[in-house]
Amino acid sequence: MAISDTPTSVGTNPSGIVARFEQQYAEYRRQKRVYAAVFAAVFLLCLIAALLTTQFNVLTLIGGIPRASGFISKMLPPIHLDSFAQDFAEWYWGAGEWFHSLLNTLLMAYLATILGTVIGGTISFFAARNLAQNYLVYWIARRVLEIARTVPDIVWALLFVLAFGIGEVAGIMAITTHTLGAQGKLFAEVNENISPLPTDGIRSAGGNWFHEMRFGVLPQVLPNYLSYTFWRVELNVRSATIVGFVGAGGIGHDLFTAVQLLYFADVGAILLIIVATIMAIDILSESIRHSAIGKASFSH
Amino acid sequence: MGTQYADITAADIAEERSRNPDAFRAPLRQRLNVWTAWGATTALTIYCLYRFGFLSGNFLHGVTKFGDIVVSQMFPPAGFENVPMFLKAMGETVAMAFLGTLLGAVGAFPFSFLAAKNMTRSRPIQFGTRRGADLLRAFDYLIWALIFVRAVGLGPLAGIMAIAIVETGTFIKLYSEAIENLDRKQIDGVTSLGGNWLHKIWFGVLPQVLPMMLSNTLYMFEHNTRSATILGIVGAGGIGFLLGDRLRAYELREACLIIILVVLTVYAIDYLSKFLREQLIGDHKRREPIDDAVQI
């Protein structure tokens, strides 16, 4: 072919190039093998340490599987097709109470989202580097948001149960606190990405700080706020179903009681309600986000 | 420039307004919609505040009590002599997250091929696997932990199983998405050389998807460490067990120390995981602001 006919280019030796390539390739392969070996060794060490720390025993795990699956199979009581309505009604004997708890759960999530978003949104104006007027205020706002969202909501729930007693209020306060931390951080990031031109315009026309925020910043950030908030509702419904485990109200409380008393059929019935609700909320929230806010919400 | 504006009179503005009313004000219908939405939101909020008793004196009493608990009963933290025990429990938490993530990843790996559209011809199998994974993910870690504590007893095993179950669902979703995004040409190349099914997976698929899978797994390990800190509250081992115990026994100063420890560990894991992912995979884009906010 043509390649063998062409003279070698000036000053290079093709066999030299090949040799150098081979050498570099061997070097590369060797390096890769060393990395892989180090990675595997570290991984094995971690694995052994983890197995020892948790006293993990494959036999216990295997022994636990039939018990766990027996537990799960007991959650679905026998339902026959010919007596479906009766069997189903019997399974959901506590439907009135459970759906009341479910309504409470949803309203808890709603109220916590609203309160958390309003408080977190207000703090976010002080926690945005470009809007804060005072470094100390900025620093405090950042730390408050950090603490609020790093402490898990269930831990907040335990603390609020001590103060407010058992009930929905403790759960709402817990989810609100976690939400304000998360929303405040996200909103502050949105605030930091705004265009400074509208606020400059308002300042040049004699507006004060409040005017700048209300007419210069808010119109730019509101669509993003809304989409984050819809997304937050989904997460908060999930939280609201579990804070009841520590006495902070909602359907989690009924689930916890049923598990403690080993009412398997009730556990299954409540789990079914929870999973149906969460999937419905996910679908609903997604469709609202797509239709009401659309793609504009993520364009800065 | 300035003189141009001086010529505009109030009459000009009024004329412009009558010609293009929408430029000055949104149409009535749109304004009504917006006001209805805000009105409904506010009304529902007030109803909720009323329903749950936020508008009563009890609520204010609770707020003062909470302030008292946090300010004077939690600080300063105490129980420093128990730090070795807390650190051991923290190690157990991280170990739970590690084993749970590992079991989840191993369990999800084969199913992720079933759940990928470009690997599984049969639509019902592919769709069924996806929905099954969604079902596993739909329940929170704590719900699984509560059930497994009842099934296998108190201790880290229940926590490991809870994490493994949720992670199987998550990894089936993440891995199958990675597989669906791969480049077909490498597999075609292996096929054209006469490679069988195993060759195609080994030489065509894995080199493309493994880095993505590794990055996802590390990221979820970090996420699970945060989740594992609280699983103990329902009895599934680790630091959460001690935290729940101290809070229920009203030993708030020790609880405060544990909370501080949890927060510090979460930060440490955050940085370590970010560093590892950047070192191993050179992956900078994976972490989005939204992920940061999803704590626990």
Side-chain angles (χ1 to χ4, degrees):
Chain A
M1 284 274 288
I3 290 171
S4 59
D5 295 336
T6 36
T8 49
S9 46
V10 200
T12 47
N13 175 0
S15 62
I17 291 177
V18 169
R20 211 162 68 219
F21 170 77
E22 290 287 355
Q23 192 193 344
Q24 277 177 357
Y25 186 63
E27 175 75 8
Y28 170 77
R29 292 284 299 254
R30 198 185 59 81
Q31 216 170 27
K32 274 226 129 172
R33 268 201 299 273
V34 170
Y35 276 135
V38 168
F39 183 74
V42 171
F43 178 79
L44 269 179
L45 270 177
C46 289
L47 183 62
I48 291 166
L51 290 174
L52 290 178
T53 328
T54 55
Q55 293 157 342
F56 187 81
N57 191 336
V58 181
L59 294 178
T60 331
L61 178 69
I62 293 170
I65 287 171
R67 257 187 296 167
S69 52
F71 199 107
I72 290 169
S73 70
K74 272 190 248 170
M75 289 180 199
L76 291 167
I79 289 183
H80 306 287
L81 264 185
D82 44 344
S83 56
F84 179 80
Q86 261 172 302
D87 287 347
F88 198 77
E90 200 173 311
W91 189 24
Y92 273 85
W93 66 275
E97 194 192 323
W98 297 333
F99 281 106
H100 182 255
S101 295
L102 179 68
L103 178 66
N104 270 349
T105 308
L106 293 175
L107 290 179
M108 279 165 69
Y110 172 82
L111 186 57
T113 309
I114 297 282
L115 293 179
T117 302
V118 169
I119 301 171
T122 314
I123 299 178
S124 78
F125 284 85
F126 301 98
R129 207 168 299 127
N130 53 340
L131 304 179
Q133 295 173 308
N134 176 325
Y135 186 77
L136 184 68
V137 173
Y138 165 79
W139 191 86
I140 291 173
R142 281 268 152 169
R143 292 296 89 74
V144 166
L145 295 178
E146 222 160 60
I147 291 166
R149 72 168 185 277
T150 316
V151 176
D153 44 9
I154 196 98
V155 175
W156 283 123
L158 276 165
L159 287 174
F160 280 113
V161 164
L162 292 180
F164 290 91
I166 285 178
E168 286 86 6
V169 176
I172 295 166
M173 294 300 285
I175 304 172
T176 300
T177 310
H178 192 76
T179 302
L180 80 87
Q183 295 286 70
K185 183 203 153 91
L186 289 173
F187 287 11
E189 270 163 18
V190 173
N191 293 345
E192 285 176 357
N193 284 328
I194 56 160
S195 152
L197 299 178
T199 49
D200 288 351
I202 289 162
R203 201 176 314 134
S204 73
N208 61 23
W209 187 81
F210 174 77
H211 289 139
E212 282 178 42
M213 296 300 125
R214 167 65 188 87
F215 298 104
V217 178
L218 212 57
Q220 294 190 57
V221 295
L222 208 56
N224 285 13
Y225 282 13
L226 275 179
S227 82
Y228 281 142
T229 304
F230 276 115
W231 178 74
R232 195 77 223 167
V233 173
E234 279 178 56
L235 293 176
N236 282 352
V237 170
R238 279 164 184 266
S239 289
T241 58
I242 57 160
V243 286
F245 293 179
V246 296
I251 200 161
H253 187 73
D254 300 81
L255 180 63
F256 189 73
T257 317
V259 170
Q260 293 306 308
L261 299 175
L262 296 178
Y263 291 163
F264 294 104
D266 287 10
V267 173
I270 296 171
L271 286 180
L272 199 63
I273 293 178
I274 291 179
V275 78
T277 309
I278 284 176
M279 285 187 166
I281 293 277
D282 281 7
I283 294 167
L284 197 73
S285 158
E286 199 171 321
S287 68
I288 289 177
R289 262 183 298 162
H290 280 283
S291 66
I293 304 157
K295 286 170 191 134
S297 58
F298 283 104
S299 60
H300 288 294
Chain B
M1 283 293 277
T3 50
Q4 282 182 358
Y5 297 109
D7 297 336
I8 296 176
T9 61
D12 290 332
I13 294 175
E15 196 193 323
E16 187 62 30
R17 190 195 285 272
S18 68
R19 215 181 305 142
N20 284 321
D22 290 358
F24 286 82
R25 210 171 189 195
L28 182 68
R29 200 198 165 84
Q30 200 181 326
R31 266 183 295 147
L32 268 181
N33 282 344
V34 170
W35 283 113
T36 314
W38 282 112
T41 311
T42 315
L44 186 56
T45 307
I46 292 170
Y47 169 70
C48 286
L49 287 171
Y50 166 74
R51 180 192 175 99
F52 293 119
F54 276 82
L55 304 176
S56 71
N58 281 345
F59 177 69
L60 279 180
H61 176 71
V63 171
T64 1
K65 197 169 169 198
F66 183 74
D68 176 55
I69 285 176
V70 169
V71 175
S72 55
Q73 296 183 40
M74 289 187 77
F75 284 97
F80 287 93
E81 70 278 4
N82 290 332
V83 164
M85 179 173 72
F86 295 156
L87 287 180
K88 194 165 168 271
M90 197 48 121
E92 193 174 274
T93 296
V94 177
M96 265 162 59
F98 183 81
L99 290 177
T101 314
L102 188 66
L103 280 178
V106 171
F109 186 75
F111 290 106
S112 64
F113 287 89
L114 284 182
K117 278 198 190 106
N118 52 351
M119 291 288 139
T120 306
R121 287 271 152 71
S122 156
R123 242 356 100 222
I125 292 180
Q126 184 264 332
F127 189 78
T129 317
R130 273 281 169 99
R131 291 293 85 79
D134 285 347
L135 196 68
L136 295 181
R137 278 188 313 130
F139 295 113
D140 195 273
Y141 298 91
L142 267 181
I143 294 181
W144 286 113
L146 186 70
I147 292 171
F148 280 124
V149 163
R150 260 337 207 166
V152 301
L154 293 174
L157 185 65
I160 294 171
M161 287 175 85
I163 295 175
I165 292 278
V166 178
E167 272 343 279
T168 307
T170 313
F171 284 139
I172 289 177
K173 181 178 152 46
L174 292 175
Y175 290 175
S176 63
E177 275 166 10
I179 294 170
E180 279 175 5
N181 284 332
L182 58 75
D183 188 356
R184 191 82 215 168
K185 293 194 193 89
Q186 299 194 23
I187 306 168
D188 292 344
V190 178
T191 317
S192 72
L193 292 171
N196 63 21
W197 178 83
L198 196 66
H199 290 138
K200 282 189 229 176
I201 299 281
W202 191 255
F203 296 107
V205 178
L206 286 188
Q208 292 191 58
V209 296
L210 227 42
M212 191 68 192
M213 286 180 172
L214 218 64
S215 166
N216 282 333
T217 311
L218 261 174
Y219 178 73
M220 289 317 292
F221 168 55
E222 174 196 334
H223 183 262
N224 288 338
T225 312
R226 289 195 219 124
S227 310
T229 56
I230 55 161
L231 290 182
I233 289 174
V234 294
I239 190 84
F241 191 75
L242 296 178
L243 177 58
D245 179 56
R246 295 298 186 274
L247 280 173
R248 291 191 187 106
Y250 221 80
E251 287 176 27
L252 298 177
R253 290 187 204 283
E254 266 189 56
C256 180
L257 182 64
I258 298 179
I259 292 175
I260 292 172
L261 228 88
V262 167
V263 169
L264 289 179
T265 310
V266 167
Y267 279 141
I269 295 275
D270 254 21
Y271 280 105
L272 191 72
S273 159
K274 205 186 272 178
F275 173 78
L276 269 181
R277 271 180 295 137
E278 279 170 14
Q279 289 296 309
L280 282 175
I281 303 135
D283 172 22
H284 307 282
K285 277 178 285 182
R286 181 72 200 120
R287 197 189 183 89
E288 288 152 17
I290 235 166
D291 295 327
D292 274 315
V294 190
Q295 314 258 345
I296 319 277

